[in-house]
Amino acid sequence: QDLSGSITTPDVKLNLGGEFIKESTATTFLRQRGYGWLLEVEDDDPEDNKPLLEELDIDLKDIYYKIRCVLMPMPSLGFNRQVVRDNPDFWGPLAVVLFFSMISLYGQFKVVSWIITIWIFGSLTIFLLARVLGGEVAYGQVLGVIGYSLLPLIVIAPVLLVVGSFEVVSTLIKLFGVFWAAYSAASLLVGEEFKTKKPLLIYPIFLLYIYFLSLYTGV
């Protein structure tokens, strides 16, 4: 008999989702032997392609709005200031605390760790006191409000450098900064549930910012 044949690649096609894809002999051989998994390619997960800020849950617009709410605490300005308390975040207050630490250095790097420690444990003290007084507030909310409310002390810092030689003016500016910071924090943390007990929470908040200021001035 006259035998004839061909060694061309067999025309093997796979039906994948309604589309026919031509395969090579090697691919067909691996699939027939049960090693087709070696040829599989994983699709890129869209979750892995998120921007860094979104991956770290950092919303710059939200942080900027909260900064404005703290620096301008007057209700007449129309800001929804409760967002600072009701929607707490970590990175914004941390950035404010670290910035306050940097301007407080005066060559003494130990003050940075002191300020962060006072922020964490001072907020914990305010949180425990608020809960004892019957306030419905979470530790994360207190941490965020206390951190953001350091902004008034950051604002008066360059002014103190200019008027530092005038003791009376410098003292008045320090008191203004502390009252500004304490008012911003207290107006967010002290709710109607405290009723007649408000001074019991406002006073330690005021003392906390006095201590922050003393760390800045080097006392």
Side-chain angles (χ1 to χ4, degrees):
Q1 294 181 354
D2 185 12
L3 301 178
S4 63
S6 173
I7 60 173
T8 58
T9 303
D11 189 10
V12 181
K13 296 182 180 180
L14 290 180
N15 185 358
L16 299 177
E19 296 181 359
F20 288 93
I21 301 176
K22 186 176 181 179
E23 282 195 341
S24 64
T25 304
T27 301
T28 305
F29 176 80
L30 289 175
R31 292 191 184 279
Q32 290 176 348
R33 296 299 187 277
Y35 295 102
W37 57 271
L38 293 173
L39 306 173
E40 295 179 358
V41 179
E42 294 184 359
D43 296 332
D44 291 336
D45 188 354
E47 296 293 330
D48 297 335
N49 299 325
K50 287 184 177 181
L52 180 60
L53 293 180
E54 185 177 347
E55 190 72 26
L56 296 176
D57 196 21
I58 300 176
D59 189 343
L60 295 180
K61 291 183 179 180
D62 181 59
I63 292 174
Y64 174 65
Y65 185 81
K66 290 177 180 177
I67 288 174
R68 294 170 65 192
C69 289
V70 171
L71 291 179
M72 293 175 281
M74 288 73 69
S76 59
L77 296 177
F79 289 105
N80 181 20
R81 301 187 66 246
Q82 287 302 316
V83 72
V84 182
R85 169 178 170 171
D86 297 338
N87 186 26
D89 66 289
F90 177 75
W91 297 109
L94 178 62
V96 174
V97 172
L98 289 178
F99 187 68
F100 180 73
S101 302
M102 295 303 294
I103 67 173
S104 304
L105 281 178
Y106 286 113
Q108 300 178 9
F109 289 93
K110 293 181 179 179
V111 75
V112 177
S113 60
W114 266 108
I115 290 175
I116 294 177
T117 301
I118 294 303
W119 171 47
I120 294 174
F121 288 98
S123 298
L124 179 61
T125 302
I126 300 298
F127 163 70
L128 294 176
L129 185 57
R131 297 294 289 186
V132 169
L133 295 175
E136 296 296 332
V137 63
Y139 176 62
Q141 294 175 325
V142 178
L143 198 67
V145 170
I146 296 297
Y148 273 118
S149 296
L150 276 174
L151 286 167
L153 299 186
I154 295 176
V155 171
I156 68 169
V159 182
L160 291 176
L161 294 176
V162 176
V163 300
S165 57
F166 303 96
E167 185 174 351
V168 176
V169 178
S170 178
T171 302
L172 291 176
I173 292 176
K174 291 176 183 177
L175 289 175
F176 172 73
V178 171
F179 275 108
W180 186 3
Y183 176 78
S184 292
S187 61
L188 290 168
L189 293 177
V190 179
E192 291 299 326
E193 63 269 21
F194 293 102
K195 296 181 180 179
T196 59
K197 300 177 182 178
K198 290 183 180 180
L200 296 177
L201 191 62
I202 295 175
Y203 181 65
I205 292 175
F206 179 74
L207 293 181
L208 181 61
Y209 286 106
I210 288 180
Y211 192 75
F212 275 123
L213 184 64
S214 69
L215 290 174
Y216 167 74
T217 55
V219 176

